[in-house]
Amino acid sequence: MAAQKQEKSVIWDWLTTVDHKKLGIMYLIAGTLFFVKAGVMALFMRIQLMYPEMNFLSGQTFNEFITMHGTIMLFLAATPLLFAFMNYVIPLQIGARDVAFPFVNALGFWIFFAGGLLLSLSWFFGGGPDAGWTAYVPLSSRDYAGVGLDFYVLGLQVSGIGTLISAINFLVTIINMRAPGMTMMRLPLFVWTSFISSTLILFAFTPLAAGLALLMLDRIFGAQFFIPSMGGNTVLWQHIFWIFGHPEVYILVLPAFGIISEVIPAFSRKRLFGYTAMVFATMIIAFLGFMVWAHHMFTVGMGPVANSIFAIATMTIAVPTGIKIFNWLFTMWGGKITFNTAMLFASSFVPTFVLGGVTGVMLAMAPVDYLYHDTYFVVAHFHYIIVGGIVLALFAGLFYWYPKMFGHMLNETLGKLFFWIFYIGFHLTFFVQHLLGLMGMPRRVYTYLGDQGLDTFNFISTIGTFFMSAGVILLVINVIYSAFKGERVTVADPWDARTLEWAVPTPVPEYNFAQTPQVRSLDPLFYEKIHGDGTMKPAEPIQPIHMPNGSILPLIISIGLFFAGLGFIMMNMDNPIINPWIVAIGGLVITFGSMFVRSVKEDHGYYVPVEQVKADLKKGGN
Amino acid sequence: MADNLSQPFDKSAMTEEEKRQVNKEIRKQIVVFALMIFLTIISFLAVGADIVPRSFAIPFILLLAVVQFALQLIFFMHLKDKDHGWATAFMISGIFITVPTIAALMLLIGVVKY
Ligand code: HEM
Ligand SMILES: [Cu+2]
């Protein structure tokens, strides 16, 4: 039969896949690699700050590390790790066979990856960017920053395109691909928060792209948007950056909220308290997230009126966030709680996130921010949000969804050990940084003088980092150990959970659902367990399933973009080996050429025949 | 079944009525597109060839820009179509977010002259 899928080599299969589950795993691997890379930089920075006047790193290297650490963690680790779960879980949770545009999904991954590689390439061309992840002008202008910053600009520009198209894909998927009965107000909260976070990407990555384009024009083509001596405005960059930058924080934290809202009900054996309030709180947070950007700029001199407005707008975010916190607490209240590793991470998220939120409100008080600004207090605050919030949620999600993704459990003993070491290390590292900040230790400095009262806390902070590193090593050991010795999972629903991803067999067939399920309630699987026979009712007969073919074009398109970006960067190099224009235009030709091929070549996909579906059903059970 | 679906269709799957609708839509889009190019030419002429007086030039161009923006939204972004509820909702929330953002930004960096 012409429509049958052909056998392919494993590597070719992964390079050409358009399957959302495989792409999810690819995001997971890529994100982890970048996470470890940026984590090692953090470790090195902390070692440098362990004792006063250390000489472990030079000031220049420290600046490059601090910039790359922040940039990589936010754009190339946290975002893709969340995308990993979104990719894997969203289609399953809404009862879909795939995302709306599988080809675009693969394209999003490869473009993000190409941008990440481009950024990382800076080490081989005279050092990384060194102006902080915010790249404030004039530090980042051509007068002060070398070619490393061009890697920052174009690497982020390229990977931003990937993020943007993936987000649009999620939006269309959630709008159009829901199973019958899966109304918007029955969406699991992880889907809701991913939906809203994708909206934020849509509206926030566009100003970032515009800002980066302007900076590129300034740096490479001699424009003067941000150069005061030529009539430009440096503060404009700060505004554009934070119009993107503040929503970015919510882009990351909202899906993290979603993960917590899945894990806590599952292991408290109760439905999520206040579902509707949770949904609307998420929307309000997202909207307010756009209107508070200038709280990063109180010290710029915007004047008392503007400072007050932005201060108050910022504090209002505490209200919907508080609603969410209380709803999680009420969900756990009176529940039959199982404290396995996933639940340990999820429940410890709540107090650490609250601590980060409290310091956030403190920072929002404009007059006091003159004191906190650019001290370690800020560093402590955002790491309580980012590590104590997002990273803990990511670990909770990892332990929760691991059996579905890989067909075996992660070891619980190693997992709990990992949790405690990491959690203690986290507080050791970052709690004392509040105090360092109040004592006046500035942020983004590579060393400090001794006997100023800063020695002990810096030392403790670094010890905490060793703990966290040990924790992550333990996680790696756990992953390897469990791959060989871990408890195999063949049942669909190892946690006795509530949502649709636990209704598909493990391992998940490539078409997810043999028959699209009929959704009758919120927490559809749990509803069937109580009111039905515990399995989802099909909404359609067994029929041949239409699947998309894999394609190598996403990879080629992103290779083209990689070289296009590299070409622009080379224009600022002293002696590029080849003419930069050749590289840039060559790259664009590859990209648009393969887009053209994609448009004219007909590819109607293939069918999984009924006999195959029935055979799978007999094996797995649905 | 599986085999013939993976072949390209030789005949369009659209009904005659649907084809008429699509043709009408295409005609409309071309007309609007021509109109928008016309508006652009006028605005260039207005400044380049000094057709309108200096003092009136900027409000005049802004006016043309607003008209173009409206045409763009209504005809090319499908704001006029039914069954585009989600697209419309996203457009409106986009406007809801960008307008105050840009207004606040202009106030903050002191753009008071246009
Ligand atoms: C897990 C252990 C981590 C450690 C030990 C750590 C350590 C550090 C250190 C020492 C700095 C420099 C602070 C300064 O002097 O201003 C820093 C900055 C930063 N970190 Fe982390 N970090 C960790 C995790 C993360 C994660 C997970 C993220 C984000 C997902 C993140 C995002 C940032 C950002 C955005 C900056 C600011 C960079 C800049 O100022 O340009 N960090 N971190
Ligand atoms: Cu902010």
Side-chain angles (χ1 to χ4, degrees), chain A residues 35 42 45-46 49 62 66-67 69-70 73-74 78 132-134 376 379 382-383 386-387 391 422 429-430 443-445 465 468:
Chain A
F35 181 80
M45 285 192 286
R46 266 327 313 171
L49 294 169
F62 188 92
I66 204 173
T67 307
H69 165 76
M73 277 295 187
L74 294 174
W133 87 283
T134 52
Y376 257 79
V379 181
F382 70 69
H383 282 92
I386 288 175
V387 183
V391 174
F422 189 86
T429 308
F430 294 112
R443 168 186 179 193
R444 292 181 181 170
V445 290
T465 313
M468 271 196 279

Side-chain angles (χ1 to χ4, degrees), chain B residues 42-65 114:
Chain B
I42 292 193
S43 50
F44 270 99
L45 282 182
V47 180
D50 277 333
I51 291 181
V52 285
R54 261 289 132 90
S55 54
F56 187 57
I58 290 175
F60 181 65
I61 299 179
L62 281 178
L63 187 75
L64 294 187
Y114 46 78

Side-chain angles (χ1 to χ4, degrees), chain A residues 440-524:
Chain A
M441 175 159 164
R443 168 186 179 193
R444 292 181 181 170
V445 290
Y446 79 105
T447 192
Y448 51 95
L449 290 176
D451 292 326
Q452 294 187 318
L454 304 176
D455 311 14
T456 323
F457 288 144
N458 268 304
F459 184 79
I460 295 177
S461 183
T462 304
I463 297 298
T465 313
F466 291 146
F467 272 66
M468 271 196 279
S469 311
V472 174
I473 292 172
L474 214 60
L475 175 65
V476 175
I477 294 175
N478 195 345
V479 167
I480 297 170
Y481 172 85
S482 306
F484 294 106
K485 291 272 169 60
E487 182 193 334
R488 302 290 123 176
V489 180
T490 45
V491 292
D493 182 17
W495 304 121
D496 191 13
R498 316 170 72 85
T499 37
L500 273 182
E501 76 268 33
W502 306 104
V504 294
T506 317
V508 188
E510 54 175 336
Y511 46 78
N512 295 354
F513 296 88
Q515 294 160 285
T516 305
Q518 173 74 47
V519 175
R520 297 202 284 169
S521 160
L522 187 66
D523 288 348

Side-chain angles (χ1 to χ4, degrees), chain A residues 1 175 199 203 239 291 306 607, chain B residues 5 86 90 97 105 108-109:
Chain A
M1 215 159 63
I175 290 174
T199 316
F203 294 149
H239 281 293
M291 296 303 151
Y607 274 87
Chain B
L5 271 182
W86 276 105
F90 269 87
I97 287 169
L105 181 60
L108 283 172
I109 58 175

